[in-house]
Amino acid sequence: MHKIEHFKDSNHQGRWSLSMSNATVVIALGIISSLSPPTARAQSTTSSVFGHAPAGELVTASNATGLHRHGTVNKQGRYKIGPLPTGDYIVTLEKDGNTVDTQHNVTLLVGQNAEIDFACPNDHCEASENR
């Protein structure tokens, strides 16, 4: 009977050692993870519309909720409108307050941008030196 009790005590001690080993591993992992730099895991929930158009003109993106955002085409013939919430848009090109061209059903998805190009005179969107 003495041997059995000794065996039980030995077995209990073995369990304690195993638990201490697990605790040591958990503590070590906690320390290591706290020393690691934080990782940004945010995902953009907006998009933008960009493209080519005649320099100096106005481009407008609008949706069914009444949102309207405008962007002026730069000297290189490029524009970008954003950030825009996801959804369906109508993108219009305006010259002197009048609509020149319209693109319907432009769908913006999370983190994806839409390229909408408008026709430019003689395929040159850049501003001429005479403008």
Short mmCIF file of all heavy atoms in Angstrom, two decimals, residues 47-49 62-63 84-91 103-116:
data_model
loop_
_atom_site.label_atom_id
_atom_site.label_comp_id
_atom_site.label_asym_id
_atom_site.label_seq_id
_atom_site.Cartn_x
_atom_site.Cartn_y
_atom_site.Cartn_z
N SER A 47 -14.72 54.22 -51.72
CA SER A 47 -14.12 54.07 -53.03
C SER A 47 -13.97 55.45 -53.64
O SER A 47 -14.30 56.46 -53.03
CB SER A 47 -15.01 53.20 -53.92
OG SER A 47 -15.17 51.93 -53.36
N SER A 48 -13.48 55.48 -54.88
CA SER A 48 -13.39 56.75 -55.59
C SER A 48 -13.62 56.52 -57.08
O SER A 48 -13.58 55.40 -57.56
CB SER A 48 -12.03 57.41 -55.35
OG SER A 48 -11.00 56.62 -55.90
N VAL A 49 -13.86 57.63 -57.76
CA VAL A 49 -14.00 57.64 -59.21
C VAL A 49 -12.85 58.48 -59.73
O VAL A 49 -12.56 59.56 -59.19
CB VAL A 49 -15.36 58.25 -59.64
CG1 VAL A 49 -15.46 58.37 -61.14
CG2 VAL A 49 -16.51 57.44 -59.09
N SER A 62 -22.84 61.40 -58.48
CA SER A 62 -24.03 61.51 -57.64
C SER A 62 -24.70 60.15 -57.53
O SER A 62 -24.60 59.31 -58.43
CB SER A 62 -25.00 62.54 -58.21
OG SER A 62 -25.35 62.23 -59.54
N ASN A 63 -25.39 59.94 -56.40
CA ASN A 63 -26.09 58.67 -56.21
C ASN A 63 -27.55 58.93 -55.86
O ASN A 63 -27.98 60.08 -55.73
CB ASN A 63 -25.40 57.79 -55.17
CG ASN A 63 -25.44 58.35 -53.77
OD1 ASN A 63 -26.19 59.27 -53.46
ND2 ASN A 63 -24.63 57.80 -52.89
N LEU A 84 -15.89 58.10 -51.64
CA LEU A 84 -17.32 57.96 -51.89
C LEU A 84 -17.81 56.66 -51.23
O LEU A 84 -17.12 55.64 -51.30
CB LEU A 84 -17.60 57.87 -53.40
CG LEU A 84 -17.26 59.10 -54.23
CD1 LEU A 84 -17.32 58.76 -55.72
CD2 LEU A 84 -18.23 60.22 -53.92
N PRO A 85 -19.00 56.70 -50.63
CA PRO A 85 -19.56 55.45 -50.10
C PRO A 85 -19.84 54.48 -51.25
O PRO A 85 -20.07 54.90 -52.38
CB PRO A 85 -20.86 55.89 -49.43
CG PRO A 85 -20.80 57.37 -49.32
CD PRO A 85 -19.84 57.86 -50.36
N THR A 86 -19.85 53.21 -50.95
CA THR A 86 -20.15 52.23 -51.99
C THR A 86 -21.58 52.41 -52.48
O THR A 86 -22.43 52.97 -51.80
CB THR A 86 -19.98 50.80 -51.45
OG1 THR A 86 -20.84 50.63 -50.34
CG2 THR A 86 -18.54 50.54 -51.05
N GLY A 87 -21.83 51.94 -53.71
CA GLY A 87 -23.17 52.05 -54.29
C GLY A 87 -23.09 52.36 -55.77
O GLY A 87 -22.03 52.32 -56.39
N ASP A 88 -24.25 52.69 -56.33
CA ASP A 88 -24.36 53.01 -57.76
C ASP A 88 -24.37 54.52 -57.95
O ASP A 88 -25.05 55.24 -57.22
CB ASP A 88 -25.64 52.40 -58.34
CG ASP A 88 -25.61 50.89 -58.32
OD1 ASP A 88 -24.52 50.32 -58.53
OD2 ASP A 88 -26.67 50.26 -58.10
N TYR A 89 -23.64 54.97 -58.96
CA TYR A 89 -23.47 56.40 -59.21
C TYR A 89 -23.74 56.74 -60.67
O TYR A 89 -23.63 55.90 -61.56
CB TYR A 89 -22.05 56.85 -58.86
CG TYR A 89 -21.81 56.92 -57.38
CD1 TYR A 89 -21.49 55.78 -56.65
CD2 TYR A 89 -21.92 58.12 -56.70
CE1 TYR A 89 -21.30 55.85 -55.28
CE2 TYR A 89 -21.73 58.19 -55.33
CZ TYR A 89 -21.42 57.05 -54.64
OH TYR A 89 -21.23 57.11 -53.28
N ILE A 90 -24.04 58.01 -60.86
CA ILE A 90 -24.06 58.63 -62.19
C ILE A 90 -22.92 59.62 -62.18
O ILE A 90 -22.79 60.44 -61.26
CB ILE A 90 -25.40 59.36 -62.45
CG1 ILE A 90 -26.55 58.37 -62.45
CG2 ILE A 90 -25.33 60.14 -63.76
CD1 ILE A 90 -27.92 59.03 -62.51
N VAL A 91 -22.05 59.54 -63.18
CA VAL A 91 -20.90 60.44 -63.27
C VAL A 91 -21.09 61.31 -64.51
O VAL A 91 -21.27 60.79 -65.62
CB VAL A 91 -19.58 59.64 -63.35
CG1 VAL A 91 -18.38 60.58 -63.38
CG2 VAL A 91 -19.45 58.67 -62.17
N GLN A 103 -22.20 59.11 -67.61
CA GLN A 103 -21.99 57.67 -67.48
C GLN A 103 -22.94 57.17 -66.37
O GLN A 103 -22.82 57.61 -65.23
CB GLN A 103 -20.54 57.35 -67.09
CG GLN A 103 -19.52 57.78 -68.12
CD GLN A 103 -19.57 56.91 -69.37
OE1 GLN A 103 -19.81 55.72 -69.29
NE2 GLN A 103 -19.34 57.52 -70.51
N HIS A 104 -23.87 56.29 -66.74
CA HIS A 104 -24.83 55.75 -65.78
C HIS A 104 -24.33 54.41 -65.23
O HIS A 104 -23.47 53.76 -65.83
CB HIS A 104 -26.18 55.54 -66.46
CG HIS A 104 -26.84 56.80 -66.89
ND1 HIS A 104 -27.62 57.56 -66.04
CD2 HIS A 104 -26.82 57.46 -68.08
CE1 HIS A 104 -28.05 58.61 -66.70
NE2 HIS A 104 -27.58 58.58 -67.94
N ASN A 105 -24.93 53.99 -64.13
CA ASN A 105 -24.68 52.66 -63.54
C ASN A 105 -23.21 52.40 -63.24
O ASN A 105 -22.68 51.33 -63.54
CB ASN A 105 -25.23 51.55 -64.43
CG ASN A 105 -26.72 51.70 -64.65
OD1 ASN A 105 -27.45 52.03 -63.72
ND2 ASN A 105 -27.15 51.49 -65.88
N VAL A 106 -22.55 53.36 -62.65
CA VAL A 106 -21.17 53.18 -62.19
C VAL A 106 -21.26 52.62 -60.77
O VAL A 106 -21.70 53.31 -59.86
CB VAL A 106 -20.39 54.51 -62.21
CG1 VAL A 106 -18.99 54.32 -61.64
CG2 VAL A 106 -20.34 55.08 -63.61
N THR A 107 -20.88 51.36 -60.60
CA THR A 107 -20.99 50.70 -59.31
C THR A 107 -19.65 50.73 -58.59
O THR A 107 -18.64 50.30 -59.13
CB THR A 107 -21.45 49.24 -59.49
OG1 THR A 107 -22.71 49.23 -60.15
CG2 THR A 107 -21.58 48.54 -58.15
N LEU A 108 -19.68 51.27 -57.38
CA LEU A 108 -18.48 51.31 -56.54
C LEU A 108 -18.62 50.25 -55.46
O LEU A 108 -19.62 50.18 -54.76
CB LEU A 108 -18.32 52.68 -55.89
CG LEU A 108 -18.10 53.85 -56.83
CD1 LEU A 108 -17.96 55.15 -56.05
CD2 LEU A 108 -16.89 53.62 -57.71
N LEU A 109 -17.59 49.40 -55.36
CA LEU A 109 -17.55 48.34 -54.36
C LEU A 109 -16.51 48.70 -53.30
O LEU A 109 -15.64 49.53 -53.54
CB LEU A 109 -17.19 47.01 -55.03
CG LEU A 109 -18.14 46.56 -56.14
CD1 LEU A 109 -17.60 45.31 -56.82
CD2 LEU A 109 -19.54 46.33 -55.61
N VAL A 110 -16.57 48.03 -52.16
CA VAL A 110 -15.66 48.29 -51.04
C VAL A 110 -14.21 48.17 -51.51
O VAL A 110 -13.81 47.16 -52.06
CB VAL A 110 -15.92 47.31 -49.89
CG1 VAL A 110 -14.86 47.45 -48.81
CG2 VAL A 110 -17.30 47.54 -49.30
N GLY A 111 -13.45 49.23 -51.29
CA GLY A 111 -12.02 49.22 -51.59
C GLY A 111 -11.66 49.19 -53.06
O GLY A 111 -10.50 49.05 -53.40
N GLN A 112 -12.64 49.32 -53.95
CA GLN A 112 -12.35 49.31 -55.38
C GLN A 112 -12.73 50.66 -55.97
O GLN A 112 -13.78 51.20 -55.67
CB GLN A 112 -13.11 48.20 -56.09
CG GLN A 112 -12.69 46.82 -55.67
CD GLN A 112 -13.44 45.74 -56.43
OE1 GLN A 112 -14.33 46.01 -57.22
NE2 GLN A 112 -13.05 44.51 -56.20
N ASN A 113 -11.87 51.18 -56.84
CA ASN A 113 -12.11 52.45 -57.49
C ASN A 113 -12.57 52.20 -58.92
O ASN A 113 -12.26 51.17 -59.51
CB ASN A 113 -10.84 53.29 -57.48
CG ASN A 113 -10.36 53.53 -56.07
OD1 ASN A 113 -11.13 53.84 -55.18
ND2 ASN A 113 -9.07 53.39 -55.85
N ALA A 114 -13.31 53.16 -59.47
CA ALA A 114 -13.81 53.03 -60.83
C ALA A 114 -13.16 54.07 -61.73
O ALA A 114 -13.16 55.26 -61.40
CB ALA A 114 -15.33 53.19 -60.85
N GLU A 115 -12.61 53.63 -62.84
CA GLU A 115 -12.03 54.55 -63.81
C GLU A 115 -13.08 54.88 -64.86
O GLU A 115 -13.56 53.99 -65.56
CB GLU A 115 -10.80 53.95 -64.48
CG GLU A 115 -10.14 54.92 -65.45
CD GLU A 115 -8.80 54.43 -65.97
OE1 GLU A 115 -8.42 53.29 -65.68
OE2 GLU A 115 -8.15 55.21 -66.68
N ILE A 116 -13.41 56.16 -64.96
CA ILE A 116 -14.38 56.65 -65.93
C ILE A 116 -13.68 57.73 -66.75
O ILE A 116 -13.37 58.80 -66.24
CB ILE A 116 -15.64 57.24 -65.25
CG1 ILE A 116 -16.27 56.23 -64.28
CG2 ILE A 116 -16.63 57.72 -66.29
CD1 ILE A 116 -16.80 54.98 -64.94
#
